[in-house]
Amino acid sequence: MKRTIATIFIIGSLIPAARAAEPAVAADASAGPSQIEFKFKFEPGRVIRQKVENITVGSLKIPGPLSEQKFSQSYEQVMTTTCRKVNADKSAVFDVSLGGIKMKMSMGPMALSYDSSTFDPQQADPRSGRVGRLFHAMEGVRFSVTVSDTGRPLKVEGLSESVRKAMARLAEGGDDQAARKMLESMSQLMSDDQMNEQMQMYYRVTPPKEGPIKIGDKWDQTWSMKMPILGGQFDGRGEYELIGIEEVHGRPCAKIRVKESFTMRPGEAGKPVEGADAFQALFQKMKMELSTSGGEGIAHIDFARGELVRLRQTQKMTLKISPREDAGDAAAEIPTFTQTFNSSTRIEMMDEPAAAPAGVEHSARQ
Amino acid sequence: MITQENTSNRRGLHRAASAVLAAAGLLVPALAQDISDPVDRSFYFIERSAQATELFNQNRLQDALPIFQELAAGYSDLDEDGYVALGVGDCLLELGQLEAARAAYAQVKALRPDLQEEADLRLVGVELKGEVSDELIAWLRTAAEAPDADRAGMHWILGRALQKRAVSLVSEAAKAFRAAAEGDGVGCRGQKAPSLTSHAALLDELGQDLSRLVNQVEKAFELRGLNPQAGADEPTPEVVAERVRSEHLLRGKDGRRLEFQVRQEEGSCEKQVLVNGNSLELSPEERQLLQRHQERINEILMKAASRASEK
């Protein structure tokens, strides 16, 4: 059960990373001070770095004789996004890489920590070492995102291969079956198709219709995406409002109030995974229902350059785990319990981007 | 229904060491400067909750308590699941401040009807630290049979309460027999005082044995929980057997006679048992029982020898 919870939280901590990788959108700077217009301008060679931080806290109520455990987890990473090229049809390709991963987890008497800048697989204790090797293998994971001329993600490439290489690195480093199994499970979430679906989700902060928007304008979005690793489908709903235009980090930004909620519905029972270990087999027999509430936040988007400068958002998550109806004998090993957690996500632009190299073509669509 | 009249003792929770949230610590001062904005308030609440959680899990309760108190007082609107409100009581309980913990849980119960079940379980934990009342046992029996109850969990708590109650009852029975032995004999026709006193001594023995067992179980789950180091700090017994060689010729009701030899060599903790010269394999439970009773025999012998040497 501890492994299940750890897996869910490691996966959950990676989801916010997709937000930061959303390609740049640019606004018409000639609009008046009370309104802006989101348009898209891609500059090949331009590099931005964003720090993603997530904190989760709550109680783990494990049924049975063990008492309630207090849980907290913090996760941060650096997303580096580089505009590689602009295609003839005005779509653009961005290269995204993960780095600077730090993670800390405290659950009752247990504690785990990982810092990519100091991690040494040979020195780590057995428990932290397993998680550390997993994250260490993911350092430098890269993928590319192709977006349309309106900034909508079209496809993701290279993530699946990057994760496969990470699994190979784990195998080279020793026979840590548990870490490899965990990464195999996570590879379902970190596939090209799955990441593209997630990035569709994060396109929502921009208004669905073109044209100028003024302070007070609102829009909403709904979306769905499958989450095979968690055995279900996510349905999301978001409400957004332009509430201001202000300067952040010296940049002119559209200040957008965000209010989002998610529900995960259990999906159909999947086929048994060949070669699944006892943990994976048990995981497949679990029904997970996840819902969120609150979900309020503020996003600052640089409308002159079209970059996400800052996002702060909190969520209250309720996770219910129970045996699936077809769990059979496995049902006895899967207790029914509900956990509630508070989570905060912060994305912050780290520094000024590098200038585009000389001679690189770029197009601007006004 | 749990009442405040029950006596209470300390309830331990699971604890261990972990790293400090350096990143959150750096962010908090900036956030604290502007916490009127709803998003800023939520961020402050979550980051401070995480800080308090890490401190609690590190057993730095004096540092965790003021944070939980601050959040419970100023951010109750964000504490939908009562995490920080109950956290105040958890810190007090862990610090051994039982009456304060009881009051904190009772306050949660009074102010938060949606947390009544949570608060009741916490109050049970407080009660289990002291003398267990018949009222608590009756409540637990009902709760354990409720249709929507976590039956395994509730029966576990009921078992803990019953065995603690048994310790009190056995002790009370021993006192009653002693009082009877010291009385004028009315109502004890045919019973001689020395028999009653001996019986009381046997009950004391039983009570001490049961108390030791109860304490072992309580300690194992209160302090260790998920900690893989559980049991590493078990106290050493009063008397240690360095070598054991004993012979027992036993005859059963059926007339069968068996000769047992029990041996433990110097430097070894393992006991070998032979029956009629052949090795006898004991189950883990049998070994545990044998060890437990042998330790008690050793203590009785040592105490008797000490008493003899004082004469």
Side-chain angles (χ1 to χ4, degrees), chain A residues 41-61:
Chain A
K41 180 190 292 185
F42 305 128
E43 299 180 28
R46 186 171 181 82
V47 179
I48 62 171
R49 295 171 66 230
Q50 295 152 311
K51 178 185 273 189
V52 181
E53 296 170 280
N54 173 267
I55 294 175
T56 302
V57 60
S59 287
L60 281 175
K61 300 178 182 68

Short mmCIF file of all heavy atoms in Angstrom, two decimals, chain A residues 41-61:
data_model
loop_
_atom_site.label_atom_id
_atom_site.label_comp_id
_atom_site.label_asym_id
_atom_site.label_seq_id
_atom_site.Cartn_x
_atom_site.Cartn_y
_atom_site.Cartn_z
N LYS A 41 3.65 34.33 -31.48
CA LYS A 41 4.90 34.68 -32.14
C LYS A 41 5.97 33.73 -31.64
O LYS A 41 6.20 33.62 -30.44
CB LYS A 41 5.28 36.12 -31.82
CG LYS A 41 6.59 36.57 -32.48
CD LYS A 41 7.04 37.91 -31.93
CE LYS A 41 6.10 39.02 -32.35
NZ LYS A 41 6.59 40.36 -31.91
N PHE A 42 6.60 33.03 -32.57
CA PHE A 42 7.64 32.07 -32.16
C PHE A 42 9.00 32.57 -32.62
O PHE A 42 9.15 33.00 -33.76
CB PHE A 42 7.35 30.70 -32.77
CG PHE A 42 5.98 30.17 -32.45
CD1 PHE A 42 5.13 29.73 -33.46
CD2 PHE A 42 5.52 30.13 -31.14
CE1 PHE A 42 3.86 29.25 -33.16
CE2 PHE A 42 4.25 29.66 -30.84
CZ PHE A 42 3.41 29.22 -31.85
N GLU A 43 9.96 32.48 -31.74
CA GLU A 43 11.32 32.95 -32.05
C GLU A 43 12.29 31.80 -31.94
O GLU A 43 12.67 31.39 -30.83
CB GLU A 43 11.72 34.04 -31.06
CG GLU A 43 10.81 35.27 -31.12
CD GLU A 43 11.24 36.34 -30.13
OE1 GLU A 43 12.45 36.40 -29.81
OE2 GLU A 43 10.38 37.09 -29.67
N PRO A 44 12.70 31.22 -33.05
CA PRO A 44 13.67 30.12 -33.01
C PRO A 44 14.93 30.52 -32.25
O PRO A 44 15.45 31.63 -32.42
CB PRO A 44 13.98 29.87 -34.48
CG PRO A 44 12.76 30.32 -35.20
CD PRO A 44 12.27 31.52 -34.42
N GLY A 45 15.37 29.61 -31.40
CA GLY A 45 16.56 29.86 -30.61
C GLY A 45 16.26 30.42 -29.23
O GLY A 45 17.11 30.38 -28.34
N ARG A 46 15.06 30.91 -29.06
CA ARG A 46 14.73 31.50 -27.75
C ARG A 46 14.61 30.40 -26.69
O ARG A 46 13.97 29.38 -26.91
CB ARG A 46 13.44 32.29 -27.85
CG ARG A 46 13.10 33.04 -26.58
CD ARG A 46 11.91 33.97 -26.82
NE ARG A 46 11.60 34.71 -25.61
CZ ARG A 46 12.23 35.81 -25.22
NH1 ARG A 46 13.21 36.29 -25.94
NH2 ARG A 46 11.88 36.42 -24.10
N VAL A 47 15.21 30.65 -25.53
CA VAL A 47 15.22 29.67 -24.45
C VAL A 47 14.58 30.28 -23.20
O VAL A 47 14.91 31.42 -22.84
CB VAL A 47 16.66 29.23 -24.10
CG1 VAL A 47 16.66 28.22 -22.95
CG2 VAL A 47 17.35 28.64 -25.33
N ILE A 48 13.69 29.57 -22.58
CA ILE A 48 13.15 30.01 -21.30
C ILE A 48 13.30 28.87 -20.29
O ILE A 48 13.29 27.70 -20.63
CB ILE A 48 11.67 30.45 -21.38
CG1 ILE A 48 10.78 29.29 -21.82
CG2 ILE A 48 11.51 31.64 -22.30
CD1 ILE A 48 9.30 29.61 -21.69
N ARG A 49 13.48 29.26 -19.01
CA ARG A 49 13.58 28.29 -17.93
C ARG A 49 12.55 28.63 -16.86
O ARG A 49 12.45 29.79 -16.45
CB ARG A 49 14.99 28.30 -17.33
CG ARG A 49 16.07 27.83 -18.32
CD ARG A 49 17.46 28.06 -17.76
NE ARG A 49 17.72 27.23 -16.60
CZ ARG A 49 18.21 27.68 -15.44
NH1 ARG A 49 18.47 28.95 -15.28
NH2 ARG A 49 18.44 26.85 -14.45
N GLN A 50 11.83 27.66 -16.45
CA GLN A 50 10.80 27.86 -15.44
C GLN A 50 10.98 26.84 -14.33
O GLN A 50 11.27 25.67 -14.58
CB GLN A 50 9.39 27.70 -16.05
CG GLN A 50 9.07 28.76 -17.08
CD GLN A 50 8.06 28.25 -18.11
OE1 GLN A 50 8.23 27.16 -18.66
NE2 GLN A 50 7.05 29.05 -18.37
N LYS A 51 10.81 27.30 -13.10
CA LYS A 51 10.87 26.39 -11.96
C LYS A 51 9.46 26.00 -11.59
O LYS A 51 8.58 26.86 -11.43
CB LYS A 51 11.56 27.05 -10.78
CG LYS A 51 11.61 26.13 -9.55
CD LYS A 51 12.18 26.81 -8.33
CE LYS A 51 13.68 26.70 -8.30
NZ LYS A 51 14.23 27.18 -7.01
N VAL A 52 9.25 24.70 -11.45
CA VAL A 52 7.94 24.17 -11.06
C VAL A 52 8.08 23.62 -9.64
O VAL A 52 8.98 22.83 -9.36
CB VAL A 52 7.50 23.04 -12.00
CG1 VAL A 52 6.13 22.51 -11.59
CG2 VAL A 52 7.48 23.52 -13.45
N GLU A 53 7.22 24.07 -8.74
CA GLU A 53 7.24 23.60 -7.35
C GLU A 53 5.85 23.14 -6.94
O GLU A 53 4.87 23.80 -7.23
CB GLU A 53 7.69 24.71 -6.41
CG GLU A 53 9.11 25.19 -6.65
CD GLU A 53 9.43 26.44 -5.86
OE1 GLU A 53 9.04 27.53 -6.30
OE2 GLU A 53 10.05 26.31 -4.80
N ASN A 54 5.82 22.01 -6.26
CA ASN A 54 4.55 21.46 -5.80
C ASN A 54 4.70 21.01 -4.36
O ASN A 54 5.70 20.39 -3.99
CB ASN A 54 4.13 20.30 -6.70
CG ASN A 54 2.91 19.58 -6.19
OD1 ASN A 54 3.00 18.60 -5.47
ND2 ASN A 54 1.74 20.08 -6.56
N ILE A 55 3.74 21.35 -3.54
CA ILE A 55 3.70 20.89 -2.15
C ILE A 55 2.36 20.22 -1.91
O ILE A 55 1.32 20.74 -2.31
CB ILE A 55 3.88 22.05 -1.16
CG1 ILE A 55 5.28 22.65 -1.30
CG2 ILE A 55 3.67 21.58 0.28
CD1 ILE A 55 5.50 23.88 -0.45
N THR A 56 2.40 19.06 -1.27
CA THR A 56 1.18 18.32 -0.94
C THR A 56 1.24 17.95 0.54
O THR A 56 2.28 17.53 1.04
CB THR A 56 1.07 17.05 -1.79
OG1 THR A 56 1.06 17.41 -3.18
CG2 THR A 56 -0.22 16.30 -1.49
N VAL A 57 0.12 18.12 1.22
CA VAL A 57 0.10 17.82 2.66
C VAL A 57 -1.27 17.27 3.03
O VAL A 57 -2.29 17.68 2.47
CB VAL A 57 0.44 19.08 3.49
CG1 VAL A 57 -0.54 20.20 3.24
CG2 VAL A 57 0.51 18.77 4.98
N GLY A 58 -1.30 16.33 3.97
CA GLY A 58 -2.56 15.77 4.43
C GLY A 58 -2.35 14.55 5.29
O GLY A 58 -1.23 14.24 5.69
N SER A 59 -3.42 13.84 5.55
CA SER A 59 -3.36 12.63 6.37
C SER A 59 -3.51 11.39 5.53
O SER A 59 -4.31 11.36 4.60
CB SER A 59 -4.51 12.64 7.39
OG SER A 59 -4.28 13.56 8.40
N LEU A 60 -2.74 10.39 5.88
CA LEU A 60 -2.92 9.07 5.28
C LEU A 60 -3.65 8.21 6.29
O LEU A 60 -3.12 7.91 7.35
CB LEU A 60 -1.56 8.43 4.95
CG LEU A 60 -0.87 8.91 3.68
CD1 LEU A 60 0.49 8.28 3.56
CD2 LEU A 60 -1.70 8.58 2.46
N LYS A 61 -4.86 7.85 5.94
CA LYS A 61 -5.66 7.05 6.88
C LYS A 61 -5.64 5.62 6.36
O LYS A 61 -6.42 5.25 5.50
CB LYS A 61 -7.09 7.58 6.93
CG LYS A 61 -7.19 9.02 7.39
CD LYS A 61 -8.64 9.48 7.39
CE LYS A 61 -8.76 10.95 7.79
NZ LYS A 61 -8.19 11.86 6.81
#
